[in-house]
Amino acid sequence: MKKTYAKDVFISGFALFAMFFGAGNLIFPPYLGWSSASNWFLGFLCFIITDIGLSMLGIIVVGKVGKGAQGVTEPLGKFFSILLLAVDVICLGPLIAIPRTAATTFEFAILPNFTNINSWVFSIIFFAIVVTLSIKQTKAVDIVGAVLAPIMFIALILLIIKGTLSPLGFAERTTVVGTVVSDGIKAGYQTMDMMGAIIMALALTFSMKSKGYTEPKQQFKMISQAGIISSIALFSVYGGLAYLGSTVSSVFSSNMSQAELLIAITSGLLGKSGIILLGVIVAFACITTAIGLLSSASTFFEEISNGKFKYKTNIIVGAVISCFVSNLGISAIINFAAPILDLIYPVLIVLIVLGAFNGKIKNLNIHKAASLGAFAVSLATLIQNITGINLGINMLPLNNIGFGWLIPSVVMGIVGSFIKKSEVHVKNILSKEA
């Protein structure tokens, strides 16, 4: 039993690693290392705090609160809870994140090696593979954690070892510490991995239940341990990639994009075989993320519909929509995604942080007021960016690193604590938690 338990935790941990490690996370660390140069480790640590830190907090809080992702957003009321999660799932599902995995694989892994393949043909093949590997709800996590993730991890470690033993250059350029810190925090924040964390926890929890781990305390223990394994793997890979970026800080031009820098590093280290290896890494990173997101989204819609939207049907419909959207290209997908994600991300962070104190905060008006404060600033920021009208958002503390909403949210949360709570409503919520 102990061996089986350890194996299940290990598989779940590597599944989490693979689900988080999408192609976007592949290009962020090298570029951060390149821009941070001699201070690469400081920038990397700041990146880790706002990326892995927030993501693992999300996973653990979902496990602690219970009732899946809805347990985190429930203090907002049933309607807003489901609405917020539905928008999150749709964005991280067939509308944005899943299509981006196919578009990224095509542009990184296919075009550099096979120039004559049509994007539509490739996307159909890509999603056929994803559907095949995720159609069995009880096996999706196992396939990712036991098979795909280890292959990707080994390939990444081999690349990092090669770059460490035979670096292309050295981190000779000095950088401003303050800029390094803000760049690291901003890069980690902009991955928005925490949004995926609270959804991916659904697939992880379902996998645990299917293996007989039905007790909430046991599930929480497994999720926490899987999170530790995932964090260690991510820390190792992100750190290695950031270091590789730092070693070419005085070698490559400042005009390079994040993608171009990664390609230059791999081709410089391994030549043509490096491009092939990069293609394999990107393909596995995108396929594992697509499986995790599609499986989690399908599980979510099956749960909130009380089984009316079946898992397998959701998988197929989600894959078809994703296939169509993926052919719009990475840039179009990202440009469409940014405003929506920027609007709801701060609210989810607020609810996750407050969820860490589950059962200790009795007045749910704190959750509501703090969430409103974060949402108001996010909405004002979006309006300012679209219209160009100066609403004074840039004057907010921490706005330069994406946390302009933080102080208003704290202030509103304090105000909410003085608003008389609804005893009946709180009693009902707490009784459900019990």
Side-chain angles (χ1 to χ4, degrees), residues 217-359:
K217 289 184 178 179
Q218 193 176 40
Q219 290 176 6
F220 175 65
K221 180 182 177 181
M222 288 188 74
I223 287 177
S224 300
Q225 292 173 338
I228 293 173
I229 293 173
S230 173
S231 298
I232 293 173
L234 288 169
F235 186 93
S236 302
V237 170
Y238 286 158
L241 291 174
Y243 172 73
L244 293 188
S246 72
T247 62
V248 298
S249 58
S250 299
V251 176
F252 294 126
S253 167
S254 59
N255 297 324
M256 301 181 77
S257 67
Q258 295 172 336
E260 290 171 340
L261 177 65
L262 181 61
I263 292 172
I265 291 174
T266 52
S267 62
L269 290 172
L270 300 170
K272 178 63 177 178
S273 59
I275 301 300
I276 296 174
L277 178 63
L278 178 61
V280 171
I281 292 172
V282 169
F284 273 79
C286 288
I287 288 174
T288 53
T289 300
I291 292 172
L293 291 174
L294 187 59
S295 176
S296 299
S298 299
T299 300
F300 171 77
F301 283 114
E302 183 179 54
E303 287 189 359
I304 65 168
S305 67
N306 293 320
K308 294 179 181 178
F309 298 139
K310 300 298 183 183
Y311 175 84
K312 290 184 178 180
T313 303
N314 296 339
I315 287 285
I316 295 171
V317 172
V320 170
I321 296 173
S322 299
C323 182
F324 175 80
V325 176
S326 69
N327 283 276
L328 297 176
I330 297 176
S331 297
I333 294 171
I334 292 176
N335 290 336
F336 179 76
I340 301 174
L341 299 178
D342 287 341
L343 194 60
I344 66 172
Y345 191 34
V347 177
L348 288 170
I349 293 178
V350 168
L351 291 172
I352 284 293
V353 172
L354 292 175
F357 301 95
N358 180 48

Side-chain angles (χ1 to χ4, degrees), residues 33-34 36-40 167-175 242-251:
W34 174 87
S36 302
S38 58
N39 288 315
W40 72 271
L168 297 174
F170 301 94
E172 297 176 346
R173 178 164 48 86
T174 58
T175 51
Y243 172 73
L244 293 188
S246 72
T247 62
V248 298
S249 58
S250 299
V251 176

Side-chain angles (χ1 to χ4, degrees), residues 5 30 59 62 80 83 99 116-117 130 170 188 198 211 230 276 291 298 318 322 347 397 410:
Y5 178 86
I59 289 286
V62 170
F80 287 109
L83 177 63
N116 295 324
I117 294 184
V130 172
F170 301 94
I198 61 176
K211 294 175 182 177
S230 173
I276 296 174
I291 292 172
S298 299
S322 299
V347 177
V410 171

Side-chain angles (χ1 to χ4, degrees), residues 156-230:
L156 285 163
I157 293 300
L158 289 175
L159 177 63
I160 292 169
I161 290 175
K162 173 62 177 177
T164 302
L165 297 177
S166 306
L168 297 174
F170 301 94
E172 297 176 346
R173 178 164 48 86
T174 58
T175 51
V176 179
V177 171
T179 303
V180 169
V181 170
S182 63
D183 286 348
I185 292 174
K186 191 182 299 184
Y189 177 76
Q190 289 176 343
T191 63
M192 297 190 176
D193 280 345
M194 195 217 68
M195 292 182 69
I198 61 176
I199 303 302
M200 290 175 183
L202 290 174
L204 197 62
T205 303
F206 185 90
S207 176
M208 292 174 181
K209 288 179 180 178
S210 69
K211 294 175 182 177
Y213 304 105
T214 56
E215 291 294 324
K217 289 184 178 179
Q218 193 176 40
Q219 290 176 6
F220 175 65
K221 180 182 177 181
M222 288 188 74
I223 287 177
S224 300
Q225 292 173 338
I228 293 173
I229 293 173
S230 173

Side-chain angles (χ1 to χ4, degrees), residues 59-223:
I59 289 286
I60 291 172
V61 168
V62 170
K64 179 182 179 182
V65 173
K67 297 178 287 184
Q70 292 184 69
V72 176
T73 59
E74 188 177 50
L76 298 182
K78 185 175 181 180
F79 175 77
F80 287 109
S81 170
I82 294 177
L83 177 63
L84 180 62
L85 288 175
V87 171
D88 184 21
V89 172
I90 291 172
C91 286
L92 292 175
L95 195 60
I96 297 169
I98 297 177
R100 191 172 64 183
T101 61
T104 302
T105 305
F106 181 71
E107 294 186 25
F108 270 83
I110 303 302
L111 282 182
N113 300 298
F114 308 97
T115 56
N116 295 324
I117 294 184
N118 181 273
S119 64
W120 281 98
V121 173
F122 166 75
S123 60
I124 291 172
I125 296 173
F126 179 90
F127 284 109
I129 294 172
V130 172
V131 168
T132 301
L133 296 178
S134 59
I135 197 70
K136 289 189 176 181
Q137 193 171 12
T138 58
K139 297 295 183 181
V141 170
D142 288 349
I143 290 172
V144 173
V147 182
L148 301 179
I151 294 174
M152 181 176 65
F153 183 75
I154 291 171
L156 285 163
I157 293 300
L158 289 175
L159 177 63
I160 292 169
I161 290 175
K162 173 62 177 177
T164 302
L165 297 177
S166 306
L168 297 174
F170 301 94
E172 297 176 346
R173 178 164 48 86
T174 58
T175 51
V176 179
V177 171
T179 303
V180 169
V181 170
S182 63
D183 286 348
I185 292 174
K186 191 182 299 184
Y189 177 76
Q190 289 176 343
T191 63
M192 297 190 176
D193 280 345
M194 195 217 68
M195 292 182 69
I198 61 176
I199 303 302
M200 290 175 183
L202 290 174
L204 197 62
T205 303
F206 185 90
S207 176
M208 292 174 181
K209 288 179 180 178
S210 69
K211 294 175 182 177
Y213 304 105
T214 56
E215 291 294 324
K217 289 184 178 179
Q218 193 176 40
Q219 290 176 6
F220 175 65
K221 180 182 177 181
M222 288 188 74
I223 287 177

